[in-house]
Amino acid sequence: MDKIKIKHLPKGVLITIIIVSIMAYGASLTLKTESHPERSDLIYGLILTVLLFALLIFAGLAKTTVRFGKGGIIKCQWLFLFWKIDLDKYNAVTYKLVSNRTRGGGTHYSLHMMFYDDAEHFKCLKESLEQHSAEACIRRNFDWTELIKLYRYIEQNYPDKAKGYE
C-alpha cells in the first residue's frame, strides 16, 4: 500500500476554525468590557487564546495522508478526520493546475484532482505547491507533485477512468 502526504485542508475544517475564532474573540471581548475581571476569568481567557493560536498553527502545518494501492479504495486522513474515496463510484478522474492571486500580489498554485461521478458532481483533492514544483507543473512536468503518484496508480489500474489533464 502506497502512502503520500499532501497539503490539503478538508472542506468543513475552515468553517470550524472560523467559528472557534469568533467564539474566542467573543470571550476576549467579554473580558474587556468588565470593569474588574476576576483573575480566574483572565487565566481562562489567556488559556483559550493560547489554545486557539496553537490550533491554528497545528491545523496549518498538518498534512493529509492519502493511502492507496489495495483495490479501488483511497483512504484519506487529516488529523482526526477520516474519509474514503471509492473509485468504483466515479466515472472519471482528472487533474488541473490552478493559480490564485494572493493579497500581496503574488500567485499561489495548487494541483486539483477531481473525481467525477457525473458531469456536475465531483470530489476534489487539492495539493498546495511550492514555487519550484509549480514552475515544473507550468511546463507540464507534474512528476514533482505527490498527488500525481495517486493519479499514476489510477492510470495504471483503472485506465478507463483516468482522463488526464483538464
Side-chain angles (χ1 to χ4, degrees):
M1 181 172 261
D2 292 330
K3 177 173 86 168
I4 59 173
K5 290 189 177 224
I6 58 174
K7 293 179 186 175
H8 171 78
L9 197 64
K11 271 187 178 177
V13 171
L14 190 59
I15 294 170
T16 304
I17 290 173
I18 291 170
I19 290 171
V20 170
S21 300
I22 291 170
M23 289 172 53
Y25 179 72
S28 68
L29 199 61
T30 58
L31 289 175
K32 286 181 183 179
T33 57
E34 288 185 23
S35 59
H36 298 290
E38 296 286 326
R39 176 176 256 167
S40 62
D41 291 340
L42 292 173
I43 292 172
Y44 291 144
L46 181 64
I47 290 172
L48 185 64
T49 304
V50 169
L51 285 175
L52 174 67
F53 283 120
L55 173 72
L56 291 175
I57 290 170
F58 192 61
L61 295 176
K63 291 186 175 185
T64 300
T65 303
V66 180
R67 290 182 176 86
F68 58 93
K70 279 189 174 178
I73 303 291
I74 299 168
K75 297 177 182 178
C76 303
Q77 175 187 357
W78 182 83
L79 292 178
F80 53 85
L81 298 175
F82 298 91
W83 68 97
K84 293 179 183 179
I85 300 172
D86 187 2
L87 290 175
D88 295 331
K89 294 181 180 179
Y90 295 99
N91 299 327
V93 179
T94 64
Y95 62 95
K96 67 179 177 178
L97 182 66
V98 177
S99 65
N100 298 314
R101 300 296 257 165
T102 59
R103 288 186 182 176
T107 305
H108 173 264
Y109 291 96
S110 60
L111 182 68
H112 293 214
M113 183 176 293
M114 283 83 60
F115 300 87
Y116 289 95
D117 55 353
D118 61 33
E120 296 177 5
H121 299 91
F122 62 90
K123 189 174 268 193
C124 185
L125 282 178
K126 300 174 190 172
E127 178 182 4
S128 297
L129 299 175
E130 302 291 331
Q131 186 65 32
H132 68 280
S133 298
E135 289 172 359
C137 289
I138 290 171
R139 294 182 187 95
R140 305 287 178 158
N141 182 8
F142 291 96
D143 295 333
W144 288 88
T145 61
E146 289 289 311
L147 206 51
I148 286 300
K149 292 177 184 176
L150 173 61
Y151 184 78
R152 298 291 182 238
Y153 167 77
I154 294 169
E155 192 175 47
Q156 196 173 51
N157 295 308
Y158 298 92
D160 56 325
K161 295 181 189 255
K163 302 300 181 191
Y165 184 76
E166 191 175 282

